[in-house]
Amino acid sequence: MTLHVFREGEGVPLVLLHGFPLDHRMWLAVAAGLPGDHPVLAMDLPGTPGYADDLPEPSIEASADAVATAMAEAGIGRAVVAGMSMGGYVALALTERHPDLVAALALVDTKSTADAPEARANRLRIADEAERGDTVAPVRPMSGTLVGATTRATRPAVGAQIAEWIEDQVPAGIAWSQRAMAARPDRGDVLARFTGPVTVVVGDEDELTPPAGAEQLAALAHARLVVVPHAGHMAAIEQPDDVAAALADLVQRAESQPS
Ligand code: MLT
């Protein structure tokens, strides 16, 4: 089971795509705070433990196709798709490859650009280390850097929860996701061409995909920009109610569009 049903309901479903190196659980608090009665589902993307024995060649396109397959299996023809960081890369690839499935897009603490050569090399090094050592150790330090300065200083339990979820991941999946992200192209043009409603969400303390980049992302798509106070890259975990409100607003905008 890769597509987890958080809530059954009526209307346009909301499909949530997680960041790296996490899984669908990063959306639990957002789902709990979502108003309305539309269906809410969250995907476990390729690279998470359920796929460890059955992974295609690493690519974000393969992840997007896995989302399309899971949506078809769940009987979902069209959804509001929200992707956090790596999930945002997948959401843009889904929009490119399966445009009819995407009614609206939420891009949460993410970007549309490809990696610079140094970032790509670093990903491939981490992938090799995780695989060679059969360990998640190379991504363990991320539990501290993914959250913002305020969360780090005042709510250590949030970082501890992320650290636990990272320990649950599998080294082969970590390596797969890093290689997939390293190979992704720039998809700014996909976003610029998308005609549905778009919301860009960013934590004001996001050090990995900072607010200045989110402003540029939002400008590409004439998107609604939501800057979440006291949150880093993990705004969806650090301030879930703010992220839930932004997603609920997007679902409403999608529902008022002609289908
Ligand atoms: C994530 O949160 O998904 C990662 O920061 C994505 C990335 O490594 O680019």
Side-chain angles (χ1 to χ4, degrees):
M1 162 63 106
T2 54
L3 198 52
H4 299 261
V5 180
F6 281 166
R7 182 171 84 192
E8 312 255 10
E10 295 299 320
V12 184
L14 174 63
V15 172
L16 303 164
L17 307 179
H18 60 82
F20 171 86
L22 299 172
D23 56 43
H24 73 280
R25 292 172 295 177
M26 65 148 282
W27 290 113
L28 282 167
V30 168
L34 271 168
D37 59 0
H38 51 88
V40 182
L41 304 97
M43 180 85 186
D44 272 340
L45 292 167
T48 49
Y51 288 86
D53 295 329
D54 187 21
L55 285 168
E57 279 299 298
S59 75
I60 289 297
E61 293 76 19
S63 292
D65 292 350
V67 175
T69 301
M71 285 174 67
E73 284 169 4
I76 298 171
R78 215 164 146 265
V80 174
V81 179
M84 185 264 152
S85 200
M86 180 179 74
Y89 313 155
V90 177
L92 287 175
L94 183 75
T95 304
E96 179 176 57
R97 294 165 74 80
H98 306 279
D100 293 350
L101 296 183
V102 184
L105 264 178
L107 298 171
V108 182
D109 293 295
T110 190
K111 57 190 172 199
S112 61
T113 49
D115 284 344
E118 316 81 65
R120 192 172 296 135
N122 192 44
R123 286 193 196 282
L124 299 179
R125 180 187 58 75
I126 290 173
D128 287 347
E129 275 179 29
E131 206 169 54
R132 228 186 359 258
D134 194 24
T135 175
V136 302
V139 293
R140 229 170 240 150
M142 288 181 76
S143 63
T145 56
L146 291 174
V147 296
T150 303
T151 302
R152 248 190 322 267
T154 60
R155 292 189 297 152
V158 176
Q161 174 65 87
I162 293 171
E164 262 182 46
W165 285 337
I166 290 176
E167 290 304 318
D168 291 341
Q169 304 307 312
V170 289
I174 301 269
W176 191 92
S177 298
Q178 284 289 33
R179 290 177 183 139
M181 287 190 280
R184 77 188 193 283
D186 185 300
R187 287 203 162 87
D189 60 330
V190 176
L191 183 58
R193 283 198 307 269
F194 182 66
T195 54
V198 181
T199 294
V200 171
V201 180
V202 66
D204 67 345
E205 299 172 4
D206 186 341
E207 293 156 18
L208 302 183
T209 47
E215 277 172 31
Q216 289 170 5
L217 193 63
L220 269 179
H222 305 291
R224 200 161 283 183
L225 175 65
V226 176
V227 181
V228 179
H230 312 304
H233 193 57
M234 284 291 154
I237 299 176
E238 300 173 70
Q239 302 294 347
D241 289 346
D242 289 6
V243 175
L247 297 185
D249 168 73
L250 181 64
V251 171
Q252 265 190 357
R253 282 155 62 210
E255 284 182 334
S256 60
Q257 294 264 314
S259 52

